Amino acid sequence: DIQMTQSPASLAASVGETVTITCRASENIYYSLAWYQQKQGKSPQLLIYNVNSLEDGVPSRFSGSGSGTQYSMKINSMQPEDTATYFCKQAYDVPWTFGGGTKLEIK
Amino acid sequence: EVQLQQSGPELVKPGASVKISCKTSGYTFTEYTMDWVKQSHGKSLEWIGGINPNNGGTTYNQKFKGKATLTVDRSSTTAYMELRSLTSEDSAVYYCARVNWAYAMDYWGQGTSVTVSS
């Protein structure tokens, strides 16, 4: 199975700050990487797929980049509503696997 | 509007089975694979498997083979997951999620909590 190592595990950011979350795959996943946001007590929601394609309705302050085994998601100008846990997920090979999650809070 | 409506919480005894439903609406059921995901309390997400509603074809995470069985009812546009021989390790929230062309899960059910306890 492909292992997805996500960092940091938790993070606190101020409103307006830029936040970066990274995901490292145990092997090349050829751009098959998505990011999900899960707010407390809610279902995960798709933010970004294929590394950098924003899902409809997702604010443009979210962006993704990366290649090979290294990927990242950036939030430009953190907002209070961005408080959530974020997960990466590879869709290159089954079983699909998720990162351990990054809990993002407001400082 | 795409909606995935899951069945309610379950409290089941060890060794029993449970069947969770995921009723869909707002899109053509047979055009999208349906995946199932497990989230143990406070932990990350695990992909259980997926089913093609068009032909019933399934793909499972090896870890869940023998534990989970995925089926669909095209007439009611509903997907099902049955979990058998339940133990405390199966206590979790289970989600159904529609899969888009990029193999990303673009719509999720609200989750079904399964608690295994005597």
Side-chain angles (χ1 to χ4, degrees):
Chain A
D1 298 359
I2 296 175
Q3 305 303 313
M4 303 299 293
T5 303
Q6 193 174 333
S7 61
S10 62
L11 177 62
S14 302
V15 173
E17 188 175 341
T18 294
V19 172
T20 300
I21 299 169
T22 64
C23 223
R24 186 182 78 248
S26 59
E27 61 184 83
N28 193 335
I29 58 171
Y30 298 95
Y31 306 100
S32 294
L33 193 283
W35 291 94
Y36 298 85
Q37 176 193 66
Q38 186 176 31
K39 296 186 177 181
Q40 186 67 34
K42 300 293 187 183
S43 306
Q45 288 194 322
L46 177 64
L47 295 177
I48 295 169
Y49 59 94
N50 283 358
V51 178
N52 57 15
S53 296
L54 235 56
E55 178 69 347
D56 290 345
V58 174
S60 59
R61 64 179 179 273
F62 290 89
S63 64
S65 63
S67 63
T69 62
Q70 300 276 3
Y71 299 86
S72 62
M73 182 189 72
K74 186 165 69 172
I75 306 173
N76 277 319
S77 187
M78 170 81 181
Q79 299 299 307
E81 61 265 32
D82 299 334
T83 295
T85 299
Y86 293 84
F87 298 95
C88 61
K89 190 207 85 180
Q90 66 83 17
Y92 175 66
D93 194 18
V94 294
W96 311 142
T97 45
F98 293 84
T102 295
K103 187 172 184 178
L104 176 60
E105 298 174 316
I106 282 284
K107 192 184 293 182
Chain B
E1 180 192 6
V2 174
Q3 291 190 337
L4 280 63
Q5 182 66 38
Q6 295 185 229
S7 47
E10 300 273 4
L11 173 60
V12 295
K13 295 190 185 309
S17 297
V18 68
K19 194 170 186 177
I20 300 168
S21 65
C22 174
K23 168 69 178 165
T24 72
S25 60
Y27 72 99
T28 302
F29 182 62
T30 52
E31 291 185 353
Y32 294 84
T33 293
M34 186 70 74
D35 276 2
W36 291 84
V37 174
K38 176 183 180 182
Q39 186 169 36
S40 301
H41 180 67
K43 294 188 178 179
S44 187
L45 303 161
E46 289 184 280
W47 178 74
I48 296 170
I51 185 166
N52 180 339
N54 188 48
N55 58 18
T58 53
T59 305
Y60 291 95
N61 184 336
Q62 186 69 28
K63 178 180 177 180
F64 292 94
K65 277 188 176 178
K67 172 63 67 177
T69 301
L70 306 182
T71 56
V72 296
D73 178 351
R74 283 183 285 278
S75 66
S76 64
T77 66
T78 301
Y80 297 92
M81 178 175 67
E82 183 173 22
L83 300 169
R84 67 176 66 87
S85 302
L86 292 166
T87 72
S88 59
E89 294 296 306
D90 299 313
S91 293
V93 176
Y94 293 88
Y95 295 98
C96 59
R98 193 184 83 163
V99 179
N100 71 9
W101 61 272
Y103 301 104
M105 301 168 186
D106 61 355
Y107 287 90
W108 294 65
Q110 82 275 25
T112 296
S113 173
V114 174
T115 302
V116 182
S117 174
S118 55

